[in-house]
Amino acid sequence: ELRSKLAELYKSSKDTVSVFGFRTQYGGGKSTGFALIYDSGEAMKKFEPHYRLVRYGQATKVEKASRQQRKQRKNRTKTVRGTAKNKAATKDKKKKK
């Protein structure tokens, strides 16, 4: 909603506007935040952080295992040496399913 209003106000496309960091004031009724308006969509993709591009639907989120699962896999591979590390990493996947 704010992106489209800012785009209209500054005569640009909604896809080139990035809004973030909003804080509501005590008592409500007023919020302050930050906005960036880029020259083009390519410029936005180049300079904007990935998580904000995901938020605006211009990038896809990278799906990965939960932090705890990654740590458990890392610690499991520390107990073995060499090529057995691959087996130790895949063994936990079979157990969880």
Side-chain angles (χ1 to χ4, degrees):
E1 190 179 308
L2 279 170
R3 286 175 68 207
S4 53
K5 283 209 172 163
L6 281 170
E8 192 179 302
L9 192 68
Y10 289 100
K11 297 177 181 72
S12 68
S13 163
K14 180 184 171 188
D15 298 328
T16 61
V17 178
S18 170
V19 292
F20 56 94
F22 282 88
R23 293 268 182 257
T24 54
Q25 286 197 343
Y26 180 73
K30 187 177 179 183
S31 295
T32 55
F34 202 77
L36 296 169
I37 301 172
Y38 291 93
D39 295 330
S40 65
E42 294 84 44
M44 186 171 178
K45 283 192 170 123
K46 183 178 177 186
F47 295 110
E48 202 60 14
H50 190 263
Y51 74 94
R52 286 206 293 248
L53 290 173
V54 169
R55 199 180 282 173
Y56 305 135
Q58 295 184 356
T60 55
K61 187 176 181 186
V62 178
E63 294 296 327
K64 53 188 175 183
S66 72
R67 187 174 169 88
Q68 186 176 8
Q69 284 175 337
R70 289 189 311 236
K71 286 183 174 194
Q72 287 171 347
R73 184 179 300 135
K74 172 192 65 104
N75 290 330
R76 202 172 288 111
T77 58
K78 288 194 319 193
T79 60
V80 293
R81 291 184 65 185
T83 57
K85 283 189 188 288
N86 294 334
K87 289 179 188 170
T90 55
K91 188 167 45 172
D92 65 316
K93 289 180 186 173
K94 289 176 185 168
K95 279 185 187 175
K96 301 217 174 179
K97 288 182 181 177

